[in-house]
Each structure stands twice: as structure tokens, then as C-alpha cells.
Amino acid sequence: MSIKDTPAPAVVDTPEVPAAQSPSLLGRISTHRRAIIVAVLFAIACYAPFQLMPFHTFQLSMALVYTIALLGLNLLVGQAGQISLGHGAFLAVGAYTTAVLLDRWDVPHLATLPVAAAVCFLLGLALGVPALRLRGLYLALVTLAIAIFVVPLLKRFESVTGGSMGLTLEKPAPPLWTGLAEDQWLYFLCLATAVLCVLVVAGIQRSRVGRALNAIRDNETAAEIMGVRPAYYKTLAFAWSAMLAGVAGCVYTWVIAYVSPDSFAVGLSITLLAGLVVGGLGSLWGPLFGGLFVLFVPSLAQDINQAAPGAVFGLLIIAVMYLAPSGLAGLGGRVATWSRLLLRRGRSAV
């Protein structure tokens, strides 16, 4: 059959998970059981802050912040197939937008969230249009340049951003009716924001937009022949990715109550991309595993060898990618496949 005679739905209905990846364990079970597993995990997440120490609750809050950021990066890299090494720059813009609103105009904490999201969406839209002419390595270098440029820019406008010293802020106080401690309240704010972002991204992935992004990632030329507009969808993916990074930056400011240019150096962008690859590209569970990886693995590497944490961190990444080439999100599916193969071999031997 020629390309001209190929029906359009063949591209529009492109699977959400890349063909090169193994489906996750949740993807292999029924929808009913999947809903039960998700409900149990959510219940555990709600119960955890009441059993953990304040520092561990803080760590989980930061893991949720990175999860939100990786949800946006996954839309751009995992769904649209674009490379970005400047995601930390959008996180910095969202964080500083929130910080300036809190410090200069005394805006309520929750009101800063839509403002930070809107600012980063418009910035991502503006940068996404010229990025359409770039692909692969060239796009990666341009986004890397953005990440490098943001830090000295923030330091230059000292009257607004606080320069190298940054800005010290107040954390959102828990309402009296909740009876929660400050760390617990911040955790639930992060959890609620992360759940909302997951629902939004899940809706995008299951919509026609998500299928179009998958088609562009797999074969942009064929997708364009079938009527998909690559420029339109790639620009939207860039804007959505920046918007979610801005949301993560806003929540980051709530949790840390301090922003500094050095907190958003280029190493953050590279670490986020590495965390997404390790978590699982194109998978909705990948950002969650990636967020946990970004938070806990550097600390683990520091504990193993304080002289060379970077080398230990790199070796851990290599080990994870060797054991799970499709990311941690696909590791469950691989384990299930290996288990079935072993059972079949055992039965055939008997």
C-alpha cells in the first residue's frame, strides 16, 4: 500500500508508549486492578507524612517538585521527541516569578501558582517558535545556552532578584483547621499540585494531541503527510513543558522559601534529563521514578564516596540503564517477562 493510500487513523492512533520501550507492569494488568493499585499508592502517599520525620517529609516534597518538572520534560522529550538541556532555566523563571511576587507585592502563595505557570507558558511559546528550525544536537546546544545564560542574568538584576545572595521568603503557613505541621502542609500542597499535573498530562497523552506528538516523534515526515502539523504541536509541547517547569519552580519556592541563581545552574538541567531517561521516557510513571532518582541518588553517591560523587552518580546511572534500558518504569514489565520465561522453561524441562 502506498503512503498516499494509507488511511489517516493509522497515524492518529499511534500508541502512547514508544515501540522501543517495554510496557510497564501497570500497563499489563486490567484497568480495574490498575485503579486499585493507584488508589493504594495514593493512600500510602497521604499517610506517609504522619509517620515520617520532618526532614524525610521535606525530601518527599522535593521529590514531588522534581516529578512535576519531569512531567513537563517528558512531554517535550518523551512525547514530542525534542531534546532540551535547558529545562532548569524554566524552573528558575517559575521560582523567581513566585519569589518576586511574594517579596515585592506580598501576593498570597496560592495566587502565585497560575502567574508562574502563565509566565513560563508564554516564555516557552516564544522560545518554541524559533526552536522549530533546529533539531537534534543543534536544539540541545541552544537549550543548553539558555540554561547557561539564566544564572548570570539573574545575578545582574540585583535590585529585583537579590543577586548572588538570592531572596529569603516565608513558607505558606498551614491553616489552623487542618491541625498539620508546616512540613506536612507543604507536603500536601506538593502532592495536590503533582496529582493535578499528572491528570493534565495523562489527559494530553490520551487525547488526539498526545497521539499527534507520538506520531511526530516516531516519523515527522509521515505524520505531516497524514495531516499532522508538526510546527504547531512541537511549539505547544515546548510551551506546556515550560509551563509545568514553572509550576515546579513555584512549588520549589514554597518548600525551600529561598531562591538563589546558583540553585538553577546548568547541572540541574542535565540532572533532570538524566533522571527522566532513568525513570522512563514516554511513560507517565517515568517522572515519578525520575524525581525520586534525582533527589536520592546524588545523596546516596555522596554517602558512598565523598571524594567522587559525580563518578558514583554516573556509575549508578549506567547500572540502572543496563538493567532497565527502557527506564525504571519499564523494569516491572521486564521482570514479569523474565519470570514467565523462567516458568515456561521450568515446565518444559519437567
Side-chain angles (χ1 to χ4, degrees), residues 23-321:
S24 63
L25 183 60
L26 290 177
R28 295 175 177 269
I29 58 181
S30 65
T31 304
H32 179 68
R33 293 182 179 178
R34 190 185 314 172
I36 294 176
I37 293 176
V38 172
V40 171
L41 292 177
F42 181 74
I44 293 174
C46 292
Y47 182 69
F50 299 104
Q51 300 298 319
L52 298 176
M53 299 292 291
F55 176 71
H56 295 150
T57 303
F58 164 78
Q59 286 183 313
L60 289 181
S61 299
M62 288 303 300
L64 290 172
V65 170
Y66 291 132
T67 297
I68 297 171
L70 292 179
L71 282 170
L73 188 60
N74 192 35
L75 273 179
L76 185 64
V77 180
Q79 297 295 130
Q82 304 297 300
I83 299 297
S84 175
L85 294 176
H87 205 61
F90 296 115
L91 199 148
V93 172
Y96 268 92
T97 299
T98 302
V100 171
L101 289 174
L102 294 174
D103 183 63
R104 303 294 178 179
W105 288 285
D106 198 22
V107 177
H109 286 81
L110 293 179
T112 62
L113 184 62
V115 178
V119 169
C120 289
F121 179 86
L122 294 176
L123 181 61
L125 196 65
L127 294 177
V129 174
L132 293 174
R133 298 180 176 272
L134 303 172
R135 295 182 181 180
L137 180 61
Y138 300 101
L139 180 59
L141 290 176
V142 170
T143 55
L144 179 62
I146 295 173
I148 296 174
F149 175 72
V150 163
V151 173
L153 182 65
L154 292 173
K155 293 181 179 180
R156 183 173 182 83
F157 295 95
E158 185 174 355
S159 60
V160 178
T161 64
S164 300
M165 299 300 294
L167 296 173
T168 301
L169 309 161
E170 293 183 0
K171 295 183 179 181
L176 295 177
W177 57 267
T178 61
L180 297 174
E182 185 180 74
D183 60 292
Q184 295 172 341
W185 173 245
L186 288 171
Y187 171 81
F188 281 112
L189 286 178
C190 295
L191 180 62
T193 306
V195 170
L196 178 61
C197 292
V198 167
L199 293 177
V200 171
V201 173
I204 293 175
Q205 288 184 346
R206 289 173 172 79
S207 68
R208 182 174 181 177
V209 174
R211 294 191 291 270
L213 290 176
N214 288 340
I216 294 171
R217 177 201 60 210
D218 295 338
N219 193 323
E220 184 174 337
T221 302
E224 190 171 7
I225 292 175
M226 298 304 169
V228 177
R229 294 178 291 172
Y232 172 75
Y233 288 108
K234 286 162 69 174
T235 303
L236 276 184
F238 213 99
W240 286 332
S241 176
M243 181 189 70
L244 289 171
V247 172
C250 177
V251 180
Y252 171 90
T253 305
W254 295 350
V255 175
I256 300 294
Y258 173 76
V259 289
S260 171
D262 294 330
S263 300
F264 307 100
V266 64
L268 175 62
S269 299
I270 298 175
T271 302
L272 288 174
L273 183 60
L276 178 62
V277 174
V278 171
L281 284 171
S283 170
L284 194 59
W285 291 91
L288 175 59
F289 292 118
L292 295 172
F293 182 88
V294 168
L295 179 69
F296 289 107
V297 171
S299 300
L300 179 62
Q302 184 73 25
D303 294 337
I304 294 176
N305 191 333
Q306 296 183 357
V312 176
F313 182 65
L315 291 174
L316 288 174
I317 292 178
I318 294 173
V320 171
M321 295 309 300

